[in-house]
Amino acid sequence: MTAPPPPRILPPLPPHLRLVLAGAVVGALFWFVLALDQSPPARVDPPVVTPTVSVPTLDSKLLAEAVDQTREQRLLLEAEPLRHVLEKALDVVPAVARALGMPTQPVPIAELRAHPAQYQGRWLWYKGELLDLGGARPGHPVPGYSIHEATVRLADGQIVFAAFSLPPGSNIVRGSIVRVEGFLLKLRDTTYPRDVQQAPFLVGREIRHDYLDWGKITELDPAVFADLDESCWPGTKAWHTVDEDQDVPLWQLAAYARDTADQRTFADWRKIGTLNERETLPALNALKLARGTPLRILGTLIKLQTIVAPPNPAGIEWWTVAWVQVPDLKGHLVPVWLPNRAELPLRSSLEVCAHYYRWFAYEGRQNDRFRVPLFVAAELREFHRDTRAAMQQISLAVGSVVMLMVLGFWWMQRRAAKESVAHARDLDARRRRRRERTNVLAPVAGGSGTADDANARTLP
């Protein structure tokens, strides 16, 4: 009886089919390794929709009546163009001024004198010392308003004249630093109380108190934050929003965050702790965290709001309020104020390198009150987990396992083939021995053998 062949791991395949199968396995392995090692595709952010701002339009014919080519023309002040521009300037708030193309830096006076027609009707601004402040006088085209005039001396000694509609604040007196904005009506000359030639005459909405520039802030003054109230009762500073909290402590911390941002690398920031409920929150509650302490905030961007910055000595032009949902803080929203414009898609994962400022209180949608720490940062940084090294290790491990499996299957197939060949040879040997035995016993079966042959026939 023929013994059955040993079991096979794989069914017998033709050689060419084995080659195709091996190539398919190697190709699949190569594709899998490449797929694991590829970086995620770049995200396409949704387009940023800029809200439309309505800007006033000046009457070019009336504006052309304000001429300044000769000294006699500059000594006169045309009433109708002035009334027209005063009326239009009432509608120019900071956001409208930006939409009108207000330059980020004052235009040099020499440039205005060289090209007065090019800048006539443009919204400009200057900052300097208030020399004279005229009282309210009639003649304003809008009922309820009066015409105010001011003379400002710039840092380089140049003179700028300004006319505006809103009465100045109590903190604006002679000798204070002020900022004047408005449409350039013409260049003016005066003889009294001082002799001035070819000075810009701006017609705007108001005159605002301003400050001398600080320059770079690389160190914090703890005395600046000494008077900050830590309580969160209604009406305290904790309830002030960014536009209500425009004061020296905020300006200094924001300038410090901005001007020292390049002193720490991102690797240095990674050594600093994060805002969480276990460690930093108890220190905040115990008032043991100093103002300006650096912390990393890990969370999701929920809301962004940007406003035009009022005058300040830190040179901040924009404020951005970012609301970050922090999982390590039970999912509470934490405000981060930035001294610049920031545009990121909502729901972005953030790792914000920020500085602690104070406590912030606000009301939620269900009229419930929350008390959270407020931070100031130089920028919003998206959180990108570097998985390339890990993916390479995983790819190498998976590739090694698959390769070992392929080698194992090959070795088992080779071993099975050897066993099959050995089994076939053994069968062939048995057949030969059986044929040889049959040939030896054939004469006995025919009756012509001897007694010894008969006896041998009975042997097993």
Side-chain angles (χ1 to χ4, degrees):
M1 180 177 180
T2 303
R8 302 177 63 91
I9 302 299
L10 295 176
L13 297 175
H16 64 278
L17 192 57
R18 293 180 185 179
L19 182 62
V20 172
L21 181 60
V25 171
V26 174
L29 173 64
F30 185 72
W31 174 85
F32 182 72
V33 172
L34 287 182
L36 284 178
D37 190 49
Q38 283 181 352
S39 301
R43 181 184 61 189
V44 179
D45 297 335
V48 178
V49 179
T50 304
T52 304
V53 178
S54 178
V55 297
T57 303
L58 300 180
D59 189 337
S60 58
K61 293 183 179 180
L62 279 176
L63 194 61
E65 295 180 6
V67 291
D68 54 7
Q69 297 179 357
T70 64
R71 178 170 174 79
E72 289 74 14
Q73 293 173 343
R74 293 191 294 269
L75 288 171
L76 297 176
L77 185 58
E78 295 82 359
E80 287 305 317
L82 174 61
R83 289 167 55 87
H84 170 68
V85 178
L86 277 171
E87 181 180 4
K88 294 295 183 179
L90 274 175
D91 298 328
V92 181
V93 294
V96 177
R98 298 284 179 177
L100 284 170
M102 181 180 66
T104 57
Q105 297 295 328
V107 178
I109 303 299
E111 176 71 15
L112 290 183
R113 291 172 179 170
H115 309 281
Q118 178 180 344
Y119 289 95
Q120 189 179 31
R122 290 270 308 271
W123 188 271
L124 307 177
W125 69 277
Y126 290 95
K127 178 173 66 174
E129 179 186 357
L130 180 62
L131 296 181
D132 293 308
L133 183 62
R137 63 181 180 86
H140 200 283
V142 179
Y145 291 94
S146 302
I147 301 177
H148 303 265
E149 293 187 3
T151 303
V152 179
R153 180 170 57 196
L154 307 184
D156 58 0
Q158 300 287 348
I159 299 297
V160 173
F161 297 116
F164 49 95
S165 304
L166 300 183
S170 59
N171 58 343
I172 297 179
V173 296
R174 288 184 177 89
S176 60
I177 304 300
V178 296
R179 176 186 176 113
V180 290
E181 297 181 8
F183 293 108
L184 176 64
L185 183 62
K186 60 183 295 185
L187 299 178
R188 283 206 65 191
D189 287 0
T190 60
T191 57
Y192 182 81
R194 53 182 54 87
D195 185 14
V196 179
Q197 296 184 11
Q198 299 188 35
F201 184 70
L202 304 184
V203 180
R205 184 173 185 267
E206 60 182 336
I207 184 173
R208 292 187 289 175
H209 188 269
D210 210 327
Y211 307 86
L212 294 176
D213 293 335
W214 281 346
K216 287 191 174 183
I217 301 296
T218 56
E219 294 183 1
L220 291 176
D221 184 5
V224 172
F225 308 98
D227 296 334
L228 285 182
D229 188 5
E230 291 288 354
S231 64
C232 292
W233 295 102
T236 59
K237 194 177 182 64
W239 293 85
H240 287 186
T241 57
V242 66
D243 54 330
E244 298 171 332
D245 194 10
Q246 294 297 310
D247 206 347
V248 175
L250 176 59
W251 297 334
Q252 185 175 119
L253 183 57
Y256 173 79
R258 178 195 61 195
D259 298 337
T260 60
D262 57 349
Q263 294 184 4
R264 287 189 180 97
T265 64
F266 193 58
D268 296 333
W269 274 103
R270 283 290 175 90
K271 301 176 183 178
I272 297 175
T274 61
L275 175 63
N276 56 73
E277 186 183 8
R278 300 178 303 276
E279 301 173 359
T280 53
L281 188 59
L284 286 168
N285 288 324
L287 306 182
K288 294 182 179 180
L289 210 63
R291 317 281 184 179
T293 300
L295 281 176
R296 288 185 297 127
I297 304 175
L298 303 178
T300 304
L301 179 62
I302 301 299
K303 184 179 179 181
L304 270 181
Q305 179 187 8
T306 302
I307 65 170
V308 179
N312 60 85
I316 299 171
E317 299 181 2
W318 299 90
W319 285 103
T320 298
V321 179
W323 290 90
V324 183
Q325 188 175 29
V326 183
D328 290 341
L329 213 62
K330 294 183 178 179
H332 285 300
L333 297 180
V334 173
V336 180
W337 293 354
L338 299 99
N340 48 51
R341 297 191 68 172
E343 295 181 356
L344 281 178
L346 299 183
R347 311 303 302 179
S348 298
S349 297
L350 301 181
E351 183 174 4
V352 185
C353 306
H355 300 266
Y356 170 65
Y357 177 37
R358 60 171 174 84
W359 285 100
F360 184 82
Y362 67 97
E363 289 187 353
R365 295 182 178 180
Q366 305 298 330
N367 295 326
D368 42 358
R369 295 180 176 180
F370 297 95
R371 175 177 178 261
V372 294
L374 169 63
F375 292 85
V376 174
E379 62 177 346
L380 292 181
R381 187 191 300 269
E382 288 193 81
F383 179 68
H384 297 289
R385 187 182 297 275
D386 189 8
T387 59
R388 181 170 299 180
M391 286 296 100
Q392 289 178 350
Q393 294 178 358
I394 294 176
S395 302
L396 182 61
V398 172
S400 301
V401 170
V402 175
M403 187 61 67
L404 289 175
M405 292 177 61
V406 171
L407 292 176
F409 282 123
W410 174 81
W411 180 79
M412 287 186 292
Q413 177 69 18
R414 187 169 180 269
R415 179 181 178 184
K418 288 184 177 180
E419 291 178 352
S420 178
V421 171
H423 182 70
R425 291 176 179 175
D426 183 63
L427 288 178
D428 291 341
R430 289 184 181 183
R431 293 190 187 100
R432 286 196 301 270
R433 287 196 299 270
R434 188 178 298 112
R435 284 195 300 268
E436 292 174 355
R437 185 180 303 169
T438 302
N439 294 334
V440 170
L441 295 178
V444 178
S448 61
T450 63
D452 293 337
D453 294 335
N455 293 333
R457 186 178 178 185
T458 61
L459 294 177

